[in-house]
Amino acid sequence: DYIPLLTVDCLVALQEMNMDFLNQLECLKPYGMGNSSPVFACEDLDLKDIRTLGKEAQHLKLKVAQNNCINDVVAWRLGELAGSLQEKHKVDVAFFPEVNEWQGRHTIQLRAHDVRQVEMTELDQLYIRDSNHQLQNSYEDSFAEDRSWDLANPTILLEDARQIDDKL
């Protein structure tokens, strides 16, 4: 009862956030009591940059990406989340899109209601290590004495040790 809930109206892809979409949202105005602004959410966004804003670092600014689409996220009064977020990890963001006008430029930014980091699986961690070229070195170290190991065409065997019938 004491945990606040955030209701998401629609799950969207980041590339759907464009000026045409924002123009359509204009038809729903004015927002206020009895007509709250819709809350959208994007899942599994790549976290590219984390910064805090304000004198006391009380606000959070992120740069997120999904399928070659990059957007800024501003989270007012959520600066304390900066310490718990890590770049190159994935995040889910609940937001309302808006136009940011600065120095004559109009860009879309996502005003975040909440941000949460997606828990990484071991496979995700291996993928990140591979992108940093550290996994290749660990293969070479592990199999340096095994002359049959072909580093150009590695074969990885996964064993499912869960002892359950429903593998999915």
Side-chain angles (χ1 to χ4, degrees):
D1 289 344
Y2 296 106
I3 300 173
L5 294 177
L6 178 64
T7 303
V8 173
D9 295 305
C10 186
L11 187 63
V12 295
L14 195 58
Q15 51 268 32
E16 292 180 64
M17 296 300 110
N18 55 42
M19 288 298 185
D20 289 337
F21 184 78
L22 268 66
N23 289 336
Q24 290 178 8
L25 283 178
E26 289 289 318
C27 297
L28 300 176
K29 285 186 173 180
Y31 300 120
M33 292 296 288
N35 188 32
S36 59
S37 61
V39 177
F40 299 98
C42 285
E43 294 180 318
D44 293 330
L45 300 174
D46 296 316
L47 187 53
K48 300 292 185 184
D49 187 38
I50 306 166
R51 289 187 287 151
T52 56
L53 304 172
K55 274 195 292 188
E56 298 170 9
Q58 68 267 33
H59 310 300
L60 183 65
K61 183 163 186 176
L62 308 173
K63 189 169 292 287
V64 296
Q66 185 181 55
N67 298 330
N68 297 324
C69 183
I70 298 175
N71 271 93
D72 288 331
V73 176
V74 175
W76 305 116
R77 296 180 306 279
L78 292 178
E80 72 275 358
L81 292 178
S84 64
L85 298 174
Q86 297 176 4
E87 287 184 31
K88 295 189 178 179
H89 283 64
K90 294 195 179 283
V91 292
D92 298 335
V93 179
F95 63 91
F96 181 77
E98 58 190 10
V99 176
N100 180 24
E101 184 179 341
W102 189 68
Q103 293 185 343
R105 288 185 50 212
H106 293 78
T107 58
I108 296 174
Q109 76 178 9
L110 311 178
R111 183 175 29 94
H113 295 287
D114 200 5
V115 177
R116 72 175 175 200
Q117 188 157 331
V118 176
E119 294 297 322
M120 292 184 60
T121 65
E122 288 183 34
L123 187 59
D124 293 332
Q125 292 172 0
L126 284 175
Y127 179 76
I128 286 178
R129 284 181 57 201
D130 188 321
S131 68
N132 293 334
H133 304 292
Q134 295 172 356
L135 191 59
Q136 180 74 19
N137 293 337
S138 68
Y139 282 144
E140 291 170 5
D141 294 343
S142 300
F143 299 101
E145 286 130 28
D146 184 358
R147 304 280 182 222
S148 64
W149 180 255
D150 181 9
L151 289 177
N153 299 310
T155 303
I156 299 174
L157 299 175
L158 297 177
E159 181 180 337
D160 188 346
R162 293 178 291 172
Q163 304 293 327
I164 59 172
D165 293 331
D166 184 13
K167 303 294 186 191
L168 191 58

